[in-house]
Amino acid sequence: MGTPEQLLDDNFNRHIQALAVQIAGMDVWANDGITVVNAQLPSDTFNIVHIQNTSQPSFDTLKTVVAYTKEAGLPFCFWLSETAATETTRGYLQELGAVCVGSDPGMILALDAYRPIGDSNHAAIRVVKTRDELADFASIIARNWTPPDQQVEIYYQRVAPALLNSPQNVFLVYDWEGQPVSVLELFPSDPQTVGIYSLATLQAFRGQGIGTALMRQALNYAKQAGYKTALLQSSEDGFRIYQKFGFRTVTMYYEYQLA
C-alpha cells in the first residue's frame, strides 16, 4: 500500500497524465522519477512537472526538464511533496531559475471510519455523462479566475472523448435552480484509493453548504463503491471543509514556477 504520502503522490501522478496520454498532440514523458505533462496549452494548470516522492533527480536531469519547458514556450508548474522537496532538489530548482509560488496540504481520509449521510441537497447533484454536462463542469472551473480562464474550457473540449469514455472518472455538478454552481471530480488510482479534485463553487454561492453537500455525496459514493482511502490536495478555501469530514494533513505540496 505504501505510506499515506506515497498514496497521494501516486494518485496525483496518475491523474495528471491519465487524459493527456490519450490525446493526440499532448505530450507525456518521464525521466529519473520526474513526469512531465505538456497539454500544449498556455496554462500551467495543465502543463505540469511532477517530481515524484521516490525521486532524487540529478542537477543534469532537472536542467534537461527545465530546458524542455523553456523550449516549449509555455508556462509550467513544478509540483513536489515534502519528501521530494529535499534541500538539494530545492537548491537545484532555484539555481535553474524556479521559485516557490505556493504550497497546499496533502490530506487523507480512511473511509472505514466514514459513515455515509443523506442530504436533501444531493438531489441537486448530477453525474457528467455528455459533452454539454462536461462543458458545465469546465465553466465552473474556468470561473475560478477573473476573467474566466478560457484555456480550461478548451482543455476539457479536447479531452472530452477520452473522459466521457472512461468508466473510472466521476465528475459531479451541483445545480442551483437549474444553474450549475459547483463541481467536483473523483479519480481512482487503484481499487482501494480515490482522489478528489477540482472542488469549486462560484463565489456568489459560497457559504450556503453547497460545497459540503457535494463533498458528502462524493464520499458517500466512494464508500459505497468500496474504496478504502480518499485523498486530496487542499486549497485554502476548502481546508476547513475537509477537516470537518475527518481528513488529516500528511504532507505539503510545493509549487514552483520559472521566474
Side-chain angles (χ1 to χ4, degrees):
M1 286 289 290
T3 67
E5 183 181 324
Q6 287 170 334
L7 289 176
L8 271 160
D9 215 57
D10 179 64
N11 188 273
F12 177 71
N13 189 265
R14 292 172 185 267
H15 180 258
I16 62 173
Q17 59 180 300
L19 295 173
V21 296
Q22 303 179 61
I23 306 301
M26 294 187 182
D27 295 330
V28 179
W29 57 277
N31 182 26
D32 198 15
I34 300 177
T35 301
V36 180
V37 178
N38 182 353
Q40 303 289 351
L41 291 170
S43 170
D44 61 13
T45 300
F46 306 109
N47 301 330
I48 296 174
V49 176
H50 177 214
I51 303 174
Q52 299 168 43
N53 70 355
T54 55
S55 172
Q56 293 184 339
S58 67
F59 179 80
D60 286 343
T61 296
L62 285 172
K63 185 177 180 181
T64 298
V65 171
V66 168
Y68 169 84
T69 66
K70 289 182 176 179
E71 185 177 345
L74 298 168
F76 279 77
C77 189
F78 291 66
W79 288 80
L80 58 166
S81 69
E82 282 182 1
T83 298
T86 63
E87 184 176 349
T88 299
T89 297
R90 297 181 76 162
Y92 288 163
L93 287 171
Q94 291 166 5
E95 188 174 344
L96 291 165
V99 295
C100 186
V101 296
S103 61
D104 297 318
M107 307 181 78
I108 199 164
L109 172 68
L111 289 170
D112 284 343
Y114 175 76
R115 297 291 175 263
I117 301 173
D119 189 319
S120 60
N121 289 330
H122 290 168
I125 299 171
R126 54 190 162 101
V127 178
V128 168
K129 295 181 180 178
T130 68
R131 280 182 175 268
D132 286 343
E133 289 174 331
L134 184 59
D136 287 340
F137 178 94
S139 72
I140 302 302
I141 302 297
R143 289 157 74 183
N144 274 331
W145 291 268
T146 303
D149 186 352
Q150 292 183 331
Q151 299 305 321
V152 172
E153 297 181 286
I154 292 171
Y155 173 83
Y156 282 103
Q157 288 170 7
R158 290 186 182 176
V159 302
L163 189 155
L164 294 172
N165 287 326
S166 170
Q168 296 178 312
N169 301 60
V170 177
F171 289 74
L172 302 177
V173 176
Y174 186 107
D175 291 320
W176 179 278
E177 297 181 350
Q179 174 189 356
V181 299
S182 186
V183 295
L184 180 149
E185 174 190 356
L186 286 154
F187 175 82
S189 47
D190 61 59
Q192 294 189 329
T193 310
V194 64
I196 296 172
Y197 293 88
S198 303
L199 175 58
T201 303
L202 296 182
Q203 182 70 44
F205 294 89
R206 294 176 187 172
Q208 301 183 53
I210 292 173
T212 298
L214 197 55
M215 188 69 181
R216 181 176 290 118
Q217 179 74 327
L219 292 176
N220 288 355
Y221 167 85
K223 175 81 172 187
Q224 291 161 4
Y227 294 109
K228 300 299 183 184
T229 304
L231 43 84
L232 53 83
Q233 292 179 28
S234 173
S235 65
E236 184 177 346
D237 290 339
F239 187 75
R240 290 184 180 179
I241 293 177
Y242 305 140
Q243 280 190 317
K244 197 186 316 182
F245 282 102
F247 280 87
R248 62 186 179 88
T249 301
V250 296
T251 189
M252 293 295 295
Y253 273 87
Y254 300 97
E255 304 157 49
Y256 279 76
Q257 294 174 347
L258 292 178

